[in-house]
Amino acid sequence: MYNFRKYDKDFIDDQKIFDLLEAAKNPDPVEIRSIIDKSLDKIRLEPHETAKLLQVEDPALLEEIFEAARQLKQNIYGNRIVFFAPLYIGNKCINNCLYCGFRRDNQAIVRKTLTTDELKEQVKILIGKGHKRLILVYGEHTIYDADFISKTINTVYETKENNGEIRRVNINAAPMDIEGYKKLKEAGIGTFQIFQETYHHDTYRAIHPQNTIKGNYSWRLYGLDRAMEAGIDDVGIGVLFGLYDWKFEVMGLLLHTIHLEQTFGVGPHTISFPRLEPAINTKFYNETKYKVSDENFKKIISILRLSVPYTGMILTARESPKIRKEMIPHGISQIDAGSRIGIGGYEQDDYIPEKEQFQLGDTRSLDEIIEEMCRLGYLTSFCTACYRSGRTGEDFMDIARPGDIQDFCTPNGILTFKEYLLDYASDNTKKAGNQLIEEELKKIGLKNLKKRKLIEEKLKLIEAGERDVYV
Ligand code: SAM
Ligand code: SF4
């Protein structure tokens, strides 16, 4: 078992967060506008500034916050959206998180772990739909140790189907010790995600029984420090919204970001903000008084966008198609699509409630979602070029910070989208996608003709059958 390191005092001071939020009440509009200007200059906000944004109630001022978030997303990320799919490997769990369908006391769940052959089958199906990036998800169990997880990563990378392959494997699993993370690094992991669930100590204690591993708040809070110490450059943080007050949790996410920046010189690669969903035989969903409304969800996304301009923001298929469409412009850079979260769910291509952690809100296919994104003017990207060229962690932030993200990401987005259109798209999506690529090339050509020519040459290589072409 793990060698637990002892952490006496952690960097989340609950009282300090309450004090910051209290002091920020009734903010002065002039000050709010100067905080917005700082964000638009792409500077990460300080806790007292984010607290002020969180306390804005005036509808007109809130609209200014939403508009600034839309503008900042456009300035840094352009119209690009990165696509991925989750792949649940196993739902055995020794923890008892009250909100989760996988908790060990839940008798209604059928426990299942994919065999290597079943995993290959699932990966082939995902490749066959056009996916290039996966996040593998595991319950917490002694059998899902670092060796097991490394083996599943290797299996995913080794599985090929026609022109396709998975090029980036991210992980959402229980926190590990440094030795464990080193094995994952060796296996070629992309991002390691750990959601703190709630940063509020008392709530954390009440929801995660103390006689479980997850009951240890600081083991989880420092889980990503250990990942970075082990050499994993890209880490993802998150909160499960609905467990405690959303304003407190946004402050927790910001403080966690600042802690990683101060300790390792670089903040998290991504932030996730799942909202609590119903799960089979799980009454917690109906009992919590902290469920987040759609209006407050929009504030969370917009204020996070403004607070941490360079951190990728992930909106999952827990949300309905309508909410996803509405929220994406406010700062989202990554979404999953065509997701099935029952263990083995891609084969059945359906709900398997007795093997699922919670209910999904958006069950449309990858192709349907991409077609909608084209109609809305978003460029689908399956790009993994930064990761493959070693532009991760601090190196990624170095290109991201000056705003050059679009120099690499938009061309690579176009190239990976072209691969998708040739190999996997329906006729409708092909038509809409090729038109969008044409418009993107025009925009690039107006600014930099040489770059347009370079991308067009690479597009020709793809049309001639070459794959995994990037700049
Ligand atoms: N078991 C590991 C852990 O807890 O860290 C791995 C991840 S768990 C399978 C994935 C995430 O799902 C959790 O971190 C939690 O935020 C989220 N989750 C759990 N129950 C949920 C629910 N009812 N609705 C929405 N998200 C939920
Ligand atoms: Fe297990 Fe993770 Fe679910 Fe908690 S959230 S019960 S640790 S799978």
Side-chain angles (χ1 to χ4, degrees):
M1 239 315 124
Y2 293 127
N3 178 13
F4 282 108
R5 187 189 292 181
K6 204 168 171 321
Y7 301 100
D8 291 331
K9 194 171 175 298
D10 63 60
F11 56 85
I12 300 290
D13 180 340
D14 295 22
Q15 192 53 50
K16 197 169 151 204
I17 295 180
F18 290 129
D19 293 346
L20 282 164
L21 286 170
E22 185 59 35
K25 277 188 176 157
N26 304 313
D28 175 358
V30 176
E31 205 182 343
I32 292 297
R33 288 188 187 111
S34 82
I35 296 171
I36 290 177
D37 286 345
K38 180 176 171 184
S39 299
L40 291 174
D41 282 339
K42 301 170 187 156
I43 300 169
R44 201 251 303 130
L45 298 182
E46 294 300 327
H48 68 277
E49 295 166 327
T50 294
K52 293 229 159 87
L53 297 184
L54 287 167
Q55 297 294 26
V56 170
E57 303 279 350
D58 173 50
L61 205 49
L62 271 174
E63 196 38 61
E64 288 182 42
I65 289 178
F66 297 150
E67 178 49 35
R70 289 191 286 261
Q71 206 177 316
L72 189 62
K73 176 191 150 39
Q74 192 56 35
N75 292 348
I76 296 186
Y77 297 90
N79 59 346
R80 200 179 41 95
I81 301 279
V82 171
F83 276 68
F84 69 96
L87 175 51
Y88 277 66
I89 304 290
N91 63 8
K92 295 192 178 174
C93 196
I94 49 175
N95 292 318
N96 231 346
C97 314
L98 299 191
Y99 47 81
C100 178
F102 290 172
R103 70 190 183 285
R104 71 168 182 231
D105 285 354
N106 192 359
Q107 303 293 338
I109 279 277
V110 176
R111 305 290 165 175
K112 166 80 188 147
T113 303
L114 294 178
T115 63
T116 304
D117 284 346
E118 287 166 341
L119 173 56
K120 283 186 191 157
E121 207 37 55
Q122 296 281 302
V123 174
K124 281 186 183 169
I125 294 169
L126 285 159
I127 294 174
K129 307 256 184 220
H131 281 291
K132 298 281 184 279
R133 307 166 63 108
L134 298 186
I135 182 148
L136 308 187
V137 187
Y138 312 73
E140 177 155 10
H141 197 277
T142 43
I143 61 172
Y144 308 144
D145 62 6
D147 290 319
F148 175 86
I149 294 180
S150 301
K151 198 173 148 215
T152 53
I153 296 174
N154 290 330
T155 303
V156 172
Y157 281 134
E158 282 159 16
T159 305
K160 314 271 174 198
E161 182 81 338
N162 300 323
N163 272 338
E165 64 194 347
I166 298 300
R167 298 180 187 151
R168 178 165 172 128
V169 178
N170 300 328
I171 298 290
N172 187 323
M176 303 201 166
D177 58 16
I178 293 180
E179 288 315 306
Y181 287 122
K182 282 187 180 159
K183 291 181 184 169
L184 303 193
K185 163 99 181 157
E186 191 67 17
I189 184 191
T191 307
F192 196 93
Q193 277 187 353
I194 301 174
F195 305 158
Q196 187 61 23
E197 321 295 12
T198 171
Y199 286 96
H200 184 245
H201 286 80
D202 286 347
T203 304
Y204 189 94
R205 217 169 288 127
I207 293 176
H208 304 101
Q210 289 305 287
N211 59 353
T212 61
I213 295 184
K214 193 149 165 184
N216 188 333
Y217 179 103
S218 47
W219 174 251
R220 193 167 183 87
L221 188 67
Y222 287 93
L224 294 173
D225 286 55
R226 295 191 298 278
M228 293 188 93
E229 277 178 52
I232 294 178
D233 290 331
D234 291 345
V235 298
I237 63 174
V239 151
L240 181 55
F241 280 94
L243 306 184
Y244 189 61
D245 174 58
W246 62 272
K247 294 182 185 176
F248 184 98
E249 305 290 22
V250 171
M251 295 297 289
L253 288 168
L254 178 65
L255 291 169
H256 200 162
T257 300
I258 294 173
H259 165 78
L260 292 174
E261 277 178 11
Q262 288 175 345
T263 315
F264 299 99
V266 60
H269 188 64
T270 53
I271 296 189
S272 302
F273 24 84
R275 279 195 288 184
L276 186 70
E277 299 293 335
I280 188 168
N281 194 28
T282 302
K283 42 185 207 302
F284 184 87
Y285 178 83
N286 296 319
E287 290 170 355
T288 178
K289 57 177 189 192
Y290 292 110
K291 275 198 221 71
V292 170
S293 67
D294 293 348
E295 189 55 24
N296 286 339
F297 196 46
K298 191 156 125 190
K299 291 184 203 167
I300 290 170
I301 293 173
S302 303
I303 295 172
L304 278 172
R305 177 68 300 145
L306 294 177
S307 299
V308 289
Y310 288 110
T311 307
M313 292 190 16
I314 301 177
L315 184 65
T316 71
R318 287 177 181 82
E319 301 297 336
S320 67
K322 179 175 169 286
I323 291 291
R324 298 231 281 185
K325 187 171 156 190
E326 206 177 312
M327 300 298 163
I328 285 172
H330 292 90
I332 305 304
S333 51
Q334 292 193 27
I335 62 170
D336 58 329
S339 303
R340 298 289 177 269
I341 58 168
I343 316 290
Y346 289 105
E347 195 155 16
Q348 264 170 262
D349 197 19
D350 201 359
Y351 281 128
I352 320 178
E354 70 285 2
K355 288 186 193 159
E356 283 175 8
Q357 193 188 11
F358 50 80
Q359 280 171 24
L360 276 188
D362 188 351
T363 54
R364 292 173 297 167
S365 70
L366 174 63
D367 195 72
E368 275 174 90
I369 299 183
I370 291 182
E371 200 212 336
E372 179 186 75
M373 287 298 137
C374 290
R375 270 191 280 111
L376 297 171
Y378 290 107
L379 173 68
T380 294
S381 171
F382 292 98
C383 181
T384 54
C386 280
Y387 168 63
R388 292 153 90 72
S389 325
R391 293 191 296 260
T392 55
E394 210 168 342
D395 293 336
F396 173 79
M397 287 302 168
D398 284 346
I399 57 160
R401 271 195 205 112
D404 291 346
I405 213 169
Q406 294 195 48
D407 278 352
F408 288 100
C409 303
T410 304
N412 286 327
I414 293 174
L415 297 174
T416 55
F417 189 33
K418 186 71 186 180
E419 274 192 34
Y420 174 82
L421 294 176
L422 286 168
D423 293 342
Y424 308 103
S426 65
D427 288 346
N428 279 347
T429 306
K430 241 179 223 159
K431 201 166 151 220
N434 281 324
Q435 205 174 319
L436 191 81
I437 290 181
E438 203 39 55
E439 284 159 23
E440 288 301 311
L441 289 173
K442 260 188 220 148
K443 275 193 265 170
I444 293 171
L446 285 177
K447 280 196 257 164
N448 186 340
L449 200 56
K450 225 166 113 193
K451 189 185 281 166
R452 175 179 175 153
K453 292 242 161 70
L454 174 79
I455 302 170
E456 281 173 336
E457 274 164 31
K458 303 249 177 214
L459 283 171
K460 281 200 191 108
L461 294 178
I462 296 174
E463 274 162 10
E466 214 173 297
R467 291 292 173 269
D468 203 9
V469 178
Y470 53 86
V471 296

